Amino acid sequence: MTEQVGQASPRTDPLGLTWVKSSASGSGNDENCVETATTPERVFLRDSKFPRPLLSFTHEAWKAFLDSHS
Protein backbone atom coordinates (compact mmCIF):
# COMPACT_ATOMS: atom_id res chain seq x y z
CA MET A 1 0.00 0.00 0.00
CA THR A 2 2.87 2.40 0.69
CA GLU A 3 6.07 2.68 -1.26
CA GLN A 4 9.25 2.58 0.75
CA VAL A 5 12.52 3.00 -1.07
CA GLY A 6 15.81 2.82 0.76
CA GLN A 7 17.66 0.73 3.30
CA ALA A 8 16.37 -0.54 6.62
CA SER A 9 17.94 1.26 9.55
CA PRO A 10 20.03 -0.91 11.89
CA ARG A 11 19.04 1.23 14.89
CA THR A 12 17.02 -0.40 17.64
CA ASP A 13 13.62 1.18 17.98
CA PRO A 14 11.75 1.13 21.31
CA LEU A 15 8.44 0.88 19.43
CA GLY A 16 9.63 -2.17 17.50
CA LEU A 17 9.40 -0.36 14.16
CA THR A 18 11.72 -1.07 11.24
CA TRP A 19 12.81 2.25 9.77
CA VAL A 20 13.70 2.73 6.10
CA LYS A 21 15.94 5.62 5.08
CA SER A 22 14.83 7.65 2.08
CA SER A 23 16.82 6.94 -1.08
CA ALA A 24 17.04 10.74 -1.56
CA SER A 25 18.90 11.13 1.74
CA GLY A 26 22.67 11.33 2.07
CA SER A 27 24.68 8.15 2.50
CA GLY A 28 26.91 9.16 5.44
CA ASN A 29 26.07 8.97 9.12
CA ASP A 30 26.40 12.75 9.42
CA GLU A 31 23.86 13.36 6.66
CA ASN A 32 20.33 14.50 7.37
CA CYS A 33 17.77 11.96 6.32
CA VAL A 34 14.12 11.13 6.51
CA GLU A 35 13.01 7.65 7.52
CA THR A 36 9.65 5.90 7.35
CA ALA A 37 8.21 2.87 9.09
CA THR A 38 4.86 1.19 8.55
CA THR A 39 2.40 -0.85 10.54
CA PRO A 40 -0.90 -2.21 9.25
CA GLU A 41 -2.63 0.89 10.65
CA ARG A 42 -0.14 3.76 10.27
CA VAL A 43 2.84 5.21 8.41
CA PHE A 44 5.46 6.89 10.63
CA LEU A 45 7.94 9.57 9.56
CA ARG A 46 10.98 10.88 11.41
CA ASP A 47 14.24 12.78 11.06
CA SER A 48 17.01 10.25 11.70
CA LYS A 49 19.18 12.76 13.59
CA PHE A 50 16.30 13.75 15.88
CA PRO A 51 14.06 10.66 15.95
CA ARG A 52 11.58 12.05 18.45
CA PRO A 53 9.03 13.38 17.96
CA LEU A 54 7.82 11.40 14.99
CA LEU A 55 4.84 11.98 12.73
CA SER A 56 2.08 9.45 12.13
CA PHE A 57 -0.33 9.23 9.19
CA THR A 58 -3.04 6.90 7.97
CA HIS A 59 -2.09 4.93 4.88
CA GLU A 60 -4.69 6.88 2.93
CA ALA A 61 -3.23 10.25 3.98
CA TRP A 62 0.32 9.06 3.18
CA LYS A 63 -0.74 7.83 -0.27
CA ALA A 64 -2.46 11.16 -0.97
CA PHE A 65 0.75 13.00 0.02
CA LEU A 66 2.91 10.79 -2.21
CA ASP A 67 0.47 11.10 -5.12
CA SER A 68 0.48 14.90 -4.81
CA HIS A 69 4.30 14.98 -5.08
CA SER A 70 4.86 12.57 -7.96
Side-chain angles (χ1 to χ4, degrees):
M1 178 169 269
T2 61
E3 181 179 341
Q4 289 189 317
V5 179
Q7 299 294 321
S9 173
R11 296 181 188 192
T12 303
D13 183 87
L15 299 175
L17 298 171
T18 300
W19 291 94
V20 177
K21 182 178 174 181
S22 169
S23 61
S25 296
S27 59
N29 288 336
D30 293 333
E31 300 289 335
N32 292 326
C33 69
V34 173
E35 296 176 312
T36 60
T38 61
T39 67
E41 299 83 23
R42 308 294 290 181
V43 176
F44 298 90
L45 181 72
R46 72 179 184 182
D47 177 339
S48 64
K49 288 189 114 175
F50 303 101
R52 297 288 187 268
L54 53 87
L55 301 174
S56 171
F57 304 94
T58 65
H59 286 274
E60 294 78 17
W62 185 245
K63 183 178 181 328
F65 171 77
L66 293 177
D67 289 346
S68 72
H69 289 84
S70 58

